[in-house]
Amino acid sequence: HAHNLFINTGAESGIFSLILLLLLIFYSWRDLRKSQLLFLSSGDTLFSNLAQATEISLIGFVVLNMFTWDAYLLIFWIVISLGVVFKKLAIMESGAK
């Protein structure tokens, strides 16, 4: 195994899978950033801080997996799903006010 999640994904699954993984990470990061700003604009600092903490976790995951290939993969999928949930909550909250 390569000692890097991204090189390992590219080597085992191909460049298409690597691009999909990178796009998934990018769109999750973008959704977390948007939800953080939406929560701030509606005055909900608790959820804004939670979205920011999840964004930091995603960035930490990316940096960590530049040096390892199997570290905390379950946490990655939890962070991705939290990004989707926070975005939906932020849209519902901003639409309600």
Side-chain angles (χ1 to χ4, degrees):
H1 292 282
H3 297 290
N4 181 320
L5 175 71
F6 307 108
I7 293 173
N8 195 35
T9 301
E12 286 187 359
S13 302
I15 191 74
F16 185 68
S17 295
L18 176 62
I19 291 170
L20 287 177
L21 176 66
L22 293 173
L23 286 174
L24 180 66
I25 291 170
F26 171 74
Y27 283 116
S28 297
W29 173 77
R30 189 184 71 169
D31 287 348
L32 285 166
R33 176 65 66 164
K34 283 183 181 179
S35 62
Q36 177 189 357
L37 295 175
L38 283 172
F39 283 131
L40 271 179
S41 68
S42 65
D44 194 348
T45 56
L46 175 66
F47 277 105
S48 175
N49 290 340
L50 286 173
Q52 184 179 21
T54 308
E55 178 187 354
I56 292 169
S57 297
L58 181 63
I59 293 169
F61 174 83
V62 169
V63 170
L64 175 68
N65 280 299
M66 288 183 187
F67 305 105
T68 184
W69 70 273
D70 65 346
Y72 311 113
L73 286 177
L74 180 63
I75 293 173
F76 171 70
W77 295 111
I78 292 171
V79 168
I80 296 297
S81 61
L82 280 174
V84 173
V85 169
F86 282 141
K87 183 180 178 188
K88 296 289 184 186
L89 283 174
I91 290 172
M92 285 177 26
E93 187 172 315
S94 67
K97 290 187 176 184

